[in-house]
Amino acid sequence: MGVHKQRVAIIGSGNWGSAIAKIAGYNCARHTELFETRVNMYVYEEMVDGRKLTDIINTEHVNTKYLPHARLPENVVAVPSAEEAACDATLLVFVLPHQFILNVCKSLRNAIAPDAHAISMIKGVEVAEHEISIYADVIQDALGIPCAALSGANIANEVASGLFSETTVGYRPHQRRLAEYYVRLFDTPQFRVGMIEDVAGVSLCGALKNIVAVGAGFVDGLGWGGNAKAAIMRIGLMEMRRFSLEFFDNVKPETFTETSAGVADLITTCYGGRNRKCAEAFVKTRKPFNVLEAELLNGQKLQGTETAKDVYEFLEARGKVDEYPLFKTIYEISFKGLDPEKLTENL
């Protein structure tokens, strides 16, 4: 594992970012042979009840806006600048909305340590000029450092409350030793971390399951019951797997069925989480998703609809839209005015 202690920085501080910071802070304090004790957490500064959010976190050790019911360890320090938070960091944990990644990475290029490495917990894909990338690759290319991925059946509030969960680290060939750092940083008796040599598969499970969760929310809004939702989940898992194997190299089929990143995360996301919640409300209220995001998510970002749009644009550019009928239909309901009642018409 090497002799130099890792200096950890959490880049992001929303619901999931704060939950993972709680675990990282706990493990840095108990594995002092591996990690520096202090964990910087980049917090986008905002005012909450007349006070700076960073001040609240650093004095009360609670992120009162995004994770108000969980106490953060005192060695987790909120910092309002990404560059300052990442200064000399050797292990960066990226857990912020995907639309901010490129700008944040640009600001970090000269801040991190020369031997730095990273892990991405970002649920989404980057589509540019009809090419598609996972965010572990975007970060790796932008910063010139190795980047792994973490994803699993991890509802943030449950993880922060200490309820049992599993997750999966996807690592790259010849980087198992780096992956072992991530396991030690995150593994606890209540939060068990597995590993698989499949960065793309783990990342794509985390991104694509959010599209399927939107479909599950449509089912709930329509009142179609458990059988219909199970069908959407089964078809969704098949499209997730087919898409990943068709368009990405070295994806392992077992990632979808044998890890927490795959079917386990799909199940929990289709029964809970923001994408299902907003999609159900979309059917019942017919309000646009951007309105529902503002009304229901307390500043968090809705990921499933944006990923559906990105995937649709990518498939359209390749003439492959009709080969993924569930992804296509979820996009058309979300953005093109298709009646949600037609969700299963072409499946």
Side-chain angles (χ1 to χ4, degrees), residues 20-42:
I20 211 68
K22 178 181 178 180
I23 292 173
Y26 168 76
N27 277 338
C28 284
R30 74 185 182 119
H31 295 311
T32 55
E33 77 283 6
L34 295 177
F35 305 108
E36 297 287 351
T37 302
R38 173 171 168 148
V39 176
N40 283 347
M41 177 173 70
Y42 165 52

Side-chain angles (χ1 to χ4, degrees), residues 1 16 25 33 110 164 175 184 223 226 259 262 269 297 336:
M1 295 280 285
W16 182 221
E33 77 283 6
N110 297 319
F164 182 80
Q175 291 181 353
R184 296 296 292 276
T259 75
T269 306
L297 298 186
K336 295 296 183 182

Side-chain angles (χ1 to χ4, degrees), residues 216-329:
F218 292 155
V219 170
D220 288 342
L222 292 162
W224 283 358
N227 294 339
K229 185 183 280 192
I232 292 299
M233 292 165 63
R234 183 196 67 78
I235 295 165
L237 182 63
M238 296 303 295
E239 291 197 10
M240 288 166 56
R241 181 178 179 274
R242 188 188 321 137
F243 182 94
S244 302
L245 292 170
E246 181 172 1
F247 297 114
F248 286 81
D249 295 329
N250 304 315
V251 171
K252 294 185 175 181
E254 59 263 35
T255 299
F256 297 84
T257 55
E258 299 178 19
T259 75
S260 182
V263 67
D265 193 16
L266 179 66
I267 291 168
T268 197
T269 306
C270 287
Y271 279 90
R274 69 191 77 162
N275 296 287
R276 189 220 62 80
K277 176 181 179 180
C278 287
E280 180 182 14
F282 175 85
V283 173
K284 290 181 174 179
T285 69
R286 301 304 168 107
K287 293 180 181 179
F289 274 109
N290 63 322
V291 174
L292 294 169
E293 180 183 76
E295 290 181 354
L296 300 177
L297 298 186
N298 191 36
Q300 293 179 288
K301 296 299 181 183
L302 187 61
Q303 297 159 315
T305 50
E306 287 304 309
T307 305
K309 184 178 180 181
D310 287 336
V311 167
Y312 182 89
E313 290 175 354
F314 173 77
L315 291 171
E316 186 178 43
R318 280 161 173 68
K320 297 270 189 173
V321 167
D322 291 334
E323 296 181 24
Y324 294 86
L326 180 62
F327 288 172
K328 175 186 178 183
T329 302

Side-chain angles (χ1 to χ4, degrees), residues 12-236:
S13 58
N15 186 245
W16 182 221
S18 297
I20 211 68
K22 178 181 178 180
I23 292 173
Y26 168 76
N27 277 338
C28 284
R30 74 185 182 119
H31 295 311
T32 55
E33 77 283 6
L34 295 177
F35 305 108
E36 297 287 351
T37 302
R38 173 171 168 148
V39 176
N40 283 347
M41 177 173 70
Y42 165 52
V43 175
Y44 177 77
E45 192 69 279
E46 36 190 328
M47 301 300 292
V48 179
D49 297 328
R51 298 175 61 192
K52 291 181 179 179
L53 184 55
T54 53
D55 290 344
I56 295 172
I57 293 171
N58 288 333
T59 56
E60 300 176 17
H61 307 291
V62 176
N63 186 334
T64 54
K65 178 164 185 179
Y66 295 108
L67 197 69
H69 304 300
R71 183 174 176 82
L72 299 174
E74 294 188 8
N75 59 317
V76 174
V77 179
V79 180
S81 159
E83 299 95 316
E84 183 183 347
C87 183
D88 297 326
T90 55
L91 198 167
L92 294 101
V93 180
F94 283 90
V95 55
L96 72 168
H98 65 267
Q99 54 264 51
F100 304 129
I101 281 293
L102 288 175
N103 284 337
V104 168
C105 283
K106 288 177 184 177
S107 72
L108 296 182
R109 285 176 182 161
N110 297 319
I112 59 178
D115 58 344
H117 50 101
I119 185 164
S120 169
M121 302 184 181
I122 298 159
K123 309 290 178 70
V125 289
E126 169 80 4
V127 174
E129 297 179 357
H130 307 313
E131 296 297 328
I132 192 167
S133 304
I134 57 171
Y135 277 98
D137 288 347
V138 172
I139 293 165
Q140 180 164 285
D141 293 344
L143 294 178
I145 63 175
C147 187
L150 181 147
S151 191
N154 306 141
I155 299 295
N157 291 340
E158 296 179 12
V159 172
S161 296
L163 302 176
F164 182 80
S165 300
E166 296 180 308
T167 199
T168 306
V169 168
Y171 64 94
R172 299 178 189 275
H174 316 302
Q175 291 181 353
R176 184 179 178 90
R177 292 184 67 194
L178 292 181
E180 290 171 354
Y181 277 117
Y182 307 132
V183 172
R184 296 296 292 276
L185 180 60
F186 300 122
D187 189 76
T188 74
Q190 293 76 38
F191 191 68
R192 304 316 304 264
V193 183
M195 299 194 308
I196 189 167
E197 188 181 302
D198 188 3
V199 172
V202 167
S203 298
L204 289 162
C205 281
L208 299 175
K209 55 93 179 185
N210 285 327
I211 304 176
V212 185
V214 172
F218 292 155
V219 170
D220 288 342
L222 292 162
W224 283 358
N227 294 339
K229 185 183 280 192
I232 292 299
M233 292 165 63
R234 183 196 67 78
I235 295 165

